[in-house]
Amino acid sequence: MPDFKHILVTGGAGFIGSNFCRYMLKRYPSLELTVLDALTYAGNLENFRDLKDNNRFNFVHGDIRNKDKVEPLIQKADAVVNFAAETHVDRSLYFAGDFVETDVLGTFVLLESARKYGVKRFLHISTDEVYGSVDEGTFSESDLLNPSSPYSASKGGADLLVRSYYITYNLPILITRSSNNFGPFQFPEKLIPLFITNAIDDIPLPLYGDGLNVRDWLYVIDNCAAIDTVLRAGEPGEIYNVGGSNERTNIEITQIILKHLGKPESLIQPVKDRPGHDRRYSISSEKVKNLGWKVRESFGEALAQTVLWYVENEDWWRPLKDKEFQDFYKLHYEDRETKDE
Ligand code: NAD
Ligand code: TYD
């Protein structure tokens, strides 16, 4: 198993990346981390407000597409974990080019640099969305990719490119494809934090279509543990699905959130469906379980803790629902205004 002294965490100022930094610094007392992040609307230095004084943690502001920024950082690192991406499906409907630019081209720049300078491991964070929707059954790592949105198609492109660097150049890559994460520090555009923060303010919860789409929810700390497991014990060239084994409909998630907050179901506002909306994601995680990983947090407990975290951290999320956020939602919800017939 490789011994890492210094890991470059790209996109580490976002939701999963910042949780991963916290997890790793606590778990490995001599490990050093450098975060490279462009601080897009989704990146936020407040996500590591508790790590500011940690002398094993460094932050560099920069874009993964910028080779001159990337190369010196990769030279210093034993491993790269790439979280950097445009990540919101709804935004990908309007700004598909940004997704191709960062998720595909950005990953390419990182791969080229890793190939030039060598790293012990290059772990790329992908998603279960690359498999596309499945009404019945469950995807394993050898299934074909069949993405539906510009987001998942861009992630799929990057995922294939990463694997090609193993096959062609023997770069020691690894890929995780996780299901939908939830937990603290998730930008309040995604289902769970959007609905919690809207409900706190008695703003309607826009539920797409019939609300029966299914996602497999995974607590972010369990995902961080899986990423750590794959980084240390995974086989180079291999892909690992990471699922929560916890498939729920969106309406079920919405009702649980409202119940925790003591808010009425009349806040639920059925709206027009998202174009290309995948019905159900489902993955098998047997392969990563064989490396010794398992889900540790109970879903009910983790969701309750997450709701409480947003209640107690209004100072973190209120500034994020700013004018830029409102402008996007105005555009987006004008398109979602009426319920499908
Ligand atoms: P996020 O949107 O919260 O964070 C993304 C981060 O990437 C931000 O800090 C942003 O500033 C940074 N970034 C964007 N473009 C960049 C660029 N060009 N250069 C450098 N940094 C850039 O996303 P997240 O939810 O933390 O997701 C992290 C990764 O995990 C993504 O690759 C995503 O596809 C994948 N993933 C997420 C989920 C989920 O449920 N959130 C599930 C499966 C996979
Ligand atoms: P989201 O958090 O955007 O993740 P993804 O689309 O990447 O799975 O959405 C999760 C589910 O919630 C998805 O089926 C779409 C649905 N959804 C709504 O019904 N309303 C909303 O406002 C949002 C953001 C999502």
Side-chain angles (χ1 to χ4, degrees):
M1 207 190 286
D3 183 24
F4 304 117
K5 291 191 178 61
H6 193 140
I7 300 178
L8 175 62
V9 182
T10 50
F15 162 49
I16 307 176
S18 61
N19 276 289
F20 177 73
C21 290
R22 194 169 293 107
Y23 178 93
M24 294 296 277
L25 288 170
K26 191 165 169 206
R27 181 147 189 189
Y28 300 103
S30 57
L31 181 69
E32 283 182 31
L33 300 179
T34 296
V35 165
L36 171 67
D37 197 293
L39 296 180
T40 67
Y41 80 94
N44 185 354
L45 294 177
E46 285 298 299
N47 291 1
F48 7 81
R49 52 190 175 191
D50 54 324
L51 300 181
K52 272 191 213 117
D53 299 328
N54 190 320
N55 57 12
R56 293 183 290 122
F57 178 77
N58 314 292
F59 174 75
V60 177
H61 185 200
D63 197 303
I64 57 165
R65 290 167 295 176
N66 181 347
K67 175 164 120 351
D68 297 336
K69 262 278 165 20
V70 165
E71 286 193 345
L73 298 177
I74 284 201
Q75 260 181 294
K76 280 195 300 189
D78 306 309
V80 178
V81 182
N82 178 30
F83 293 93
E86 288 291 338
T87 61
H88 190 32
V89 173
D90 290 330
R91 284 186 181 250
S92 82
L93 308 177
Y94 300 90
F95 314 115
D98 294 347
F99 287 70
V100 177
E101 283 274 338
T102 283
D103 301 16
V104 186
L105 286 179
T107 302
F108 165 70
V109 171
L110 294 176
L111 286 167
E112 276 295 291
S113 177
R115 182 161 85 89
K116 187 164 167 191
Y117 295 103
V119 283
K120 288 184 189 158
R121 292 288 184 270
F122 184 101
L123 199 169
H124 178 73
I125 307 298
S126 184
T127 163
D128 63 353
E129 302 197 22
V130 297
Y131 297 114
S133 190
V134 61
D135 287 339
E136 280 175 28
T138 291
F139 289 120
S140 71
E141 290 83 353
S142 55
D143 280 310
L144 289 181
L145 306 194
N146 186 24
S148 312
S149 70
Y151 164 63
S152 53
S154 302
K155 291 296 291 184
D159 190 316
L160 294 174
L161 196 60
V162 170
R163 214 170 117 63
S164 79
Y165 273 62
Y166 173 73
I167 298 165
T168 307
Y169 306 114
N170 210 22
L171 187 73
I173 68 93
L174 298 148
I175 295 172
T176 61
R177 292 180 182 152
S178 91
S179 59
N180 285 65
N181 285 220
F182 69 97
F185 299 104
Q186 186 169 30
F187 193 85
E189 65 186 352
K190 307 280 165 55
L191 178 78
I192 289 181
L194 177 73
F195 280 18
I196 296 171
T197 55
N198 276 16
I200 289 172
D201 283 347
D202 298 306
I203 296 171
L205 315 186
L207 189 65
Y208 300 159
D210 61 8
L212 296 178
N213 299 63
V214 172
R215 298 292 183 264
D216 173 11
W217 293 97
L218 171 69
Y219 190 48
V220 65
I221 306 302
D222 278 323
N223 191 21
C224 293
I227 295 166
D228 177 31
T229 302
V230 170
L231 189 61
R232 287 168 192 282
E235 197 61 43
E238 293 294 316
I239 298 163
Y240 296 88
N241 288 343
V242 183
S245 302
N246 180 43
E247 295 184 21
R248 310 275 174 154
T249 60
N250 293 336
I251 183 77
E252 204 183 337
I253 296 288
T254 308
Q255 285 164 338
I256 299 173
I257 290 171
L258 288 171
K259 199 153 178 236
H260 279 312
L261 290 168
K263 298 285 182 172
E265 292 200 6
S266 56
L267 278 178
I268 301 173
Q269 183 178 26
V271 295
K272 220 182 203 169
D273 211 354
R274 169 194 277 174
H277 194 178
D278 283 331
R279 192 64 171 168
R280 172 173 172 262
Y281 296 136
S282 184
I283 49 174
S284 152
S285 307
E286 284 315 302
K287 198 167 158 184
V288 69
K289 285 184 187 159
N290 287 337
L291 297 181
W293 174 84
K294 63 176 183 190
V295 168
R296 293 193 181 273
E297 309 286 342
S298 107
F299 170 70
E301 187 53 36
L303 186 53
Q305 286 300 327
T306 301
V307 173
L308 189 63
W309 188 86
Y310 282 87
V311 169
E312 289 177 347
N313 288 278
E314 289 193 15
D315 64 321
W316 180 83
W317 60 262
R318 280 206 186 277
L320 302 179
K321 289 183 127 179
D322 59 6
K323 185 170 178 309
E324 192 191 342
F325 183 95
Q326 305 300 342
D327 285 348
F328 173 72
Y329 276 89
K330 196 163 171 289
L331 166 80
H332 178 51
Y333 289 126
E334 269 163 17
D335 289 347
R336 308 265 82 69
E337 228 160 45
T338 46
K339 169 102 185 70
D340 290 333
E341 293 311 315

